[in-house]
Amino acid sequence: MQEIQTYNVNEKGYYGQFGGAFIPEMLFPNVEELRTNYLNIMSEPSFQEEFQALLKDYVGRPTPLYLASRLSEKYKTNIYLKREDLCHTGAHKVNNTIGQILVAKRLGKHRIVAETGAGQHGVATATVCALMGLECIVYMGEIDIARQAPNVARMKMLGATVVPAKSGSKTLKDATNEAMRHWINNPVDTHYIIGSVVGPHPYPDMVARFQSVISKEIKSQLMEKTGKSNPDYVIACVGGGSNAAGAFYHFLDDLETRLVAAEAAGHGIDSGHSAATTFLGKPGVLHGSKSISMQTEDGQVIEPYSISAGLDYPGIGPMHAHLFDTKRAIFYGITDNEAIEAAMELCKLEGIIPALESAHALAVLSKLNAGENETVVVNLSGRGDKDLATYQKFVV
Amino acid sequence: MNRITQLFQNKKQDILNVYFTAGFPDLNDTVKILTALDEGGADLIEIGMPYSDPVADGETIQLSNQKALDNGMSVKLLFEQLKDIRKTVNVPILLMGYINPVLQYGIEAFCKKCQEVGVDGLILPDLPVDVYEEEYKSIFEQYNLLNTFLITPQTSDVRINHIDNISNGFIYMVSSASTTGAKTGISEEQEAYFAKVNAMNLKNPRLIGFGISNHESFKKASSNAQGAIIGSAFIKVLNESTNLEKDIKSFVHSIKYA
Ligand SMILES: Cc1ncc(COP(=O)(O)O)c(C=O)c1O
């Protein structure tokens, strides 16, 4: 019997061999409560009404799909930018935090805990907590606190408590550990808003669904502009993979659209300072799901490196591990320098300062060799205001 | 017969299970600590396999894990350290650790090695119950390894009964909703939870862990189950010790006899 290939999650929480909920018993009741309720809550008309209204009037959706003419001219193809950078708070992260806080409220939770790397997810979480009047605690690696100071100030201004994660490498993976520990110690009244398509099932699926508005809009906007709803390529950067999951979601089964993922290769894939998970990792369990992660022979997590705090993570979500495994998506490793160059290029040609994370997706354009008649959508996941301190070092 | 099964057949009360992290404080302390615990009178010993990201653990055990890894500890090395252990030590031994290092070693190879060196059981807190049943149970049984599941005050009765059904050593009763070492002592609310579980007529004995740090809390836990597990409090002793053998023996003595 031939199995039908599916790229989405199955009823047990797996994408092929990846996914599941590998969590200690202390987290089981919380995750189980979420698992048994999330689909029902999300399909309630009152939920959808509130969610859609907030996406429209608060976030500013739909975000534009912009034909980048000068960039297209340079690469001799047709490049559209999905402008998630124009979302309230400056990145796609808010699509997910709005969705999850509405779920948390319906589960009767009073407190929100979150992890953050670049601070974008922390800001997006602090924002919706202020909006809904819920207590907000954000764990952030000590090193990230130092390199993303403006976002720390924003979170504090929005009323969140920012707690430095001092364990391990003091970056995103450790902030995630600390947020999970906080949830273990406060199981009843707290909801954990994970910021990417990682973590135990149902998180990867729930976050992908909240972000799927990106590809839904791309389809209808592209239809309107070109008469065809499916592009030849969709490119997105992958840290944990939430903006990519959202940009890919409604194209997963449309095989004429090639899915392209950009990972952070740091100083180079084999430099020892990289976060290119699919190139350097192998199957394993990290943060509650089976996926691909960077690890030693003994199964210890390896500290990643990227110039971009949002991509500085040693794993990817299980959906992406499956897309990699089945070759449904093509993965590129983009170095720090290639990302910086792509960011400068977008500034000069289109007058848009991209987030460092999104710059990794843009850098794929020079490697893709898309044809003159082909259409390429790049998911511009966020804006670069938060990265000015880094960019300044490269502006002469 | 499996040494854990034998222990619970012979002893029904005041069972003392002590946890320590392999490779801590020094890389080659593993056997020394194991031997001192055995001679000191621990009934059951849980050897932690260090992991870089121990999400269920508080600061004390996190630091011991980190230190052990910095010392160069690994699963492979642990098996080497334990290879002659059954020539001198007869106490039941459990390996405790997160699933990823075990997966990387290879589940079958890992179980085989456990049996070879004389390990009796496993505690893998992030191994899901359904994955255990579908993929691992038969392998564990083949190598005569007992698997231990955790329950917490939030675990439903239905789930406790299910876990009891598929367990065949003992059940690890986590005393409160917390990471390891976060709380000390036992409250009335916790005692009510122990009483509830006791009234469920489970087929497996229980050991209470998390928050047990001295004779008083050990006795209290033991009066609510067949015994108790001590981790963070022992790691603190190891961390400050200048004479491991002496300090370990006096610690075990102080837990058992005040
Ligand atoms: C603008 C932007 N893009 C991408 C990411 C990476 O996250 P993900 O891979 O989940 O989209 C981040 C994370 O902070 C971000 O801020």
Side-chain angles (χ1 to χ4, degrees):
Chain A
M1 201 176 78
Q2 203 180 348
E3 268 192 61
I4 297 167
Q5 179 70 268
T6 166
Y7 299 103
N8 220 322
V9 74
N10 69 19
E11 71 287 348
K12 291 180 85 179
Y14 281 83
Y15 300 82
Q17 60 162 312
F18 302 107
F22 292 76
I23 46 172
E25 185 63 25
M26 291 75 102
L27 281 178
F28 182 84
N30 289 348
V31 172
E32 186 65 4
E33 178 186 34
L34 195 61
R35 189 188 69 81
T36 51
N37 287 297
Y38 81 112
L39 290 177
N40 289 338
I41 290 175
M42 286 173 69
S43 62
E44 280 167 18
S46 70
F47 177 93
Q48 277 304 325
E49 211 172 286
E50 202 178 349
F51 183 50
Q52 298 305 337
L54 284 169
L55 287 185
K56 177 166 178 280
D57 299 327
Y58 189 71
V59 176
R61 302 205 75 91
T63 58
L65 184 72
Y66 164 70
L67 173 60
S69 310
R70 297 188 67 205
L71 198 63
S72 299
E73 203 175 300
K74 159 121 203 238
Y75 290 105
K76 301 196 170 46
T77 185
N78 306 286
I79 300 167
Y80 290 84
L81 303 178
K82 181 57 175 164
R83 299 291 308 273
E84 293 301 297
D85 60 315
L86 296 177
C87 287
H88 177 43
T89 72
H92 69 290
K93 296 279 178 188
V94 73
N95 303 326
N96 169 44
T97 59
I98 295 236
Q100 281 203 50
I101 202 148
L102 295 180
V103 170
K105 266 180 53 176
R106 280 161 176 78
L107 291 173
K109 308 291 179 181
H110 305 294
R111 187 191 298 131
I112 297 296
V113 62
E115 85 295 338
T116 197
Q120 284 306 110
H121 174 59
V123 168
T125 304
T127 298
V128 298
C129 286
L131 180 68
M132 298 292 165
L134 297 191
E135 188 187 345
C136 181
I137 298 162
V138 180
Y139 285 89
M140 187 170 187
E142 219 169 33
I143 290 176
D144 291 336
I145 287 182
R147 63 177 164 173
Q148 303 283 335
N151 274 342
V152 177
R154 290 164 83 196
M155 284 185 271
K156 288 186 176 163
M157 201 166 164
L158 290 161
T161 306
V162 181
V163 187
K166 296 178 177 177
S167 57
S169 60
K170 304 177 176 66
T171 60
L172 179 54
K173 117 184 143 61
D174 308 282
T176 307
N177 291 338
E178 293 298 341
M180 286 188 165
R181 289 181 186 122
H182 183 97
W183 206 21
I184 286 174
N185 285 295
N186 299 273
V188 180
D189 60 345
T190 303
H191 174 72
Y192 176 21
I193 300 192
I194 294 186
S196 193
V197 286
V198 299
H201 177 66
Y203 276 105
D205 183 47
M206 180 171 67
V207 176
R209 285 170 188 261
F210 286 138
Q211 292 293 358
S212 69
V213 64
I214 299 173
S215 49
K216 193 172 167 210
E217 288 176 6
I218 292 173
K219 276 203 167 205
S220 64
Q221 290 167 324
L222 208 57
M223 175 58 100
E224 201 175 285
K225 287 181 198 298
T226 69
K228 258 180 69 184
S229 61
N230 289 354
D232 297 286
Y233 301 91
V234 177
I235 309 175
C237 66
V238 173
S242 67
N243 86 86
F248 294 169
Y249 198 87
H250 290 285
F251 299 110
L252 286 173
D253 295 319
D254 298 346
L255 300 184
E256 74 265 29
T257 298
R258 276 163 282 183
L259 308 177
V260 182
E263 293 184 329
H267 294 166
I269 288 173
D270 298 315
S271 65
H273 300 275
S274 174
T277 303
T278 59
F279 294 89
L280 299 169
K282 51 188 174 172
V285 169
L286 175 64
H287 292 144
S289 61
K290 198 167 183 191
S291 187
I292 296 173
S293 59
M294 291 165 53
Q295 50 185 306
T296 63
E297 195 194 337
D298 187 44
Q300 311 298 338
V301 180
I302 291 176
E303 313 297 354
Y305 162 80
S306 166
I307 194 171
S308 137
L311 303 183
D312 198 355
Y313 184 70
I316 52 172
M319 174 201 261
H320 297 294
H322 184 51
L323 294 178
F324 173 74
D325 202 34
T326 56
K327 302 194 167 63
R328 174 67 187 96
I330 312 157
F331 284 73
Y332 285 91
I334 302 296
T335 64
D336 289 356
N337 287 340
E338 289 170 330
I340 294 284
E341 245 174 68
M344 297 306 169
E345 181 177 83
L346 191 73
C347 294
K348 295 215 173 83
L349 293 180
E350 300 290 347
I352 298 170
I353 303 176
L356 266 170
E357 292 78 14
S358 321
H360 287 71
L362 291 163
V364 172
L365 288 170
S366 68
K367 301 170 185 264
L368 200 62
N369 292 317
E372 228 172 303
N373 297 318
E374 292 190 309
T375 305
V376 182
V377 174
V378 181
N379 194 37
L380 202 66
S381 57
R383 58 180 176 245
D385 308 33
K386 69 180 175 62
D387 299 311
L388 282 186
T390 306
Y391 284 144
Q392 267 168 359
K393 295 179 200 152
F394 296 87
V395 178
V396 276
Chain B
M1 190 194 290
N2 183 292
R3 291 180 198 85
I4 298 170
T5 314
Q6 204 158 23
L7 169 68
F8 282 98
Q9 267 180 19
N10 296 340
K11 193 166 177 181
K12 306 284 179 196
Q13 216 55 57
D14 292 335
I15 292 174
L16 174 62
N17 178 353
V18 181
Y19 164 93
F20 72 97
T21 309
F24 172 86
D26 285 321
L27 183 62
N28 292 316
D29 283 339
T30 312
V31 171
K32 197 192 293 178
I33 294 171
L34 193 59
T35 307
L37 279 172
D38 180 38
E39 289 173 5
D43 298 299
L44 191 58
I45 295 170
E46 203 179 306
I47 306 177
M49 300 175 283
Y51 181 51
S52 55
D53 296 79
V55 287
D57 287 299
E59 223 169 293
T60 304
I61 294 183
Q62 277 173 46
L63 289 176
S64 71
N65 275 246
Q66 196 50 56
K67 178 84 196 301
L69 292 174
D70 292 347
N71 287 343
M73 198 60 213
S74 67
V75 176
K76 214 182 200 166
L77 184 57
L78 177 60
F79 283 131
E80 265 166 50
Q81 291 178 343
L82 294 180
K83 89 177 170 326
D84 293 324
I85 199 71
R86 286 309 179 197
K87 290 181 183 155
T88 53
V89 174
N90 199 42
V91 66
I93 296 173
L94 292 148
L95 294 191
M96 185 274 172
Y98 293 82
I99 188 75
N100 196 52
V102 176
L103 283 178
Q104 301 310 320
Y105 195 91
I107 192 72
E108 174 118 29
F110 178 84
C111 291
K112 189 158 178 258
K113 208 74 191 165
C114 281
Q115 187 183 42
E116 234 171 80
V117 301
V119 167
D120 306 287
L122 300 172
I123 305 178
L124 305 168
D126 56 349
L127 170 62
V129 170
D130 56 337
V131 174
Y132 167 72
E133 288 185 85
E134 284 163 30
E135 300 175 31
Y136 291 17
K137 189 166 183 284
S138 58
I139 304 174
F140 284 20
E141 283 170 1
Q142 184 187 339
Y143 295 100
N144 197 19
L145 293 167
L146 303 188
N147 188 46
T148 304
F149 287 105
L150 276 55
I151 62 171
T152 81
Q154 271 73 43
T155 307
S156 71
D157 290 2
V158 174
R159 188 168 165 84
I160 292 176
N161 278 316
H162 180 68
I163 284 172
D164 187 43
N165 270 328
I166 60 169
S167 298
N168 47 10
F170 68 97
I171 291 174
Y172 191 140
M173 192 149 58
V174 176
S175 67
S176 67
S178 71
T179 44
T180 54
K183 294 171 188 165
T184 49
I186 288 172
S187 67
E188 273 175 33
E189 195 184 335
Q190 286 167 286
E191 285 198 88
Y193 148 63
F194 303 148
K196 180 200 86 166
V197 176
N198 277 332
M200 289 177 76
N201 284 320
L202 304 180
K203 73 176 167 76
N204 286 282
R206 275 90 54 208
L207 297 181
I208 294 175
F210 289 40
I212 317 299
S213 59
N214 52 25
H215 180 67
E216 190 199 346
S217 48
F218 174 67
K219 278 314 250 189
K220 208 161 187 181
S222 296
S223 66
N224 285 289
Q226 282 63 48
I229 304 167
I230 296 187
S232 299
F234 183 60
I235 297 293
K236 282 183 188 151
V237 168
L238 296 181
N239 202 24
E240 285 156 18
S241 173
T242 47
N243 181 339
L244 278 181
E245 189 184 339
K246 181 170 147 279
D247 292 340
I248 290 169
K249 286 181 178 170
S250 77
F251 177 78
V252 173
H253 193 271
S254 77
I255 296 295
K256 290 174 76 156
Y257 310 107

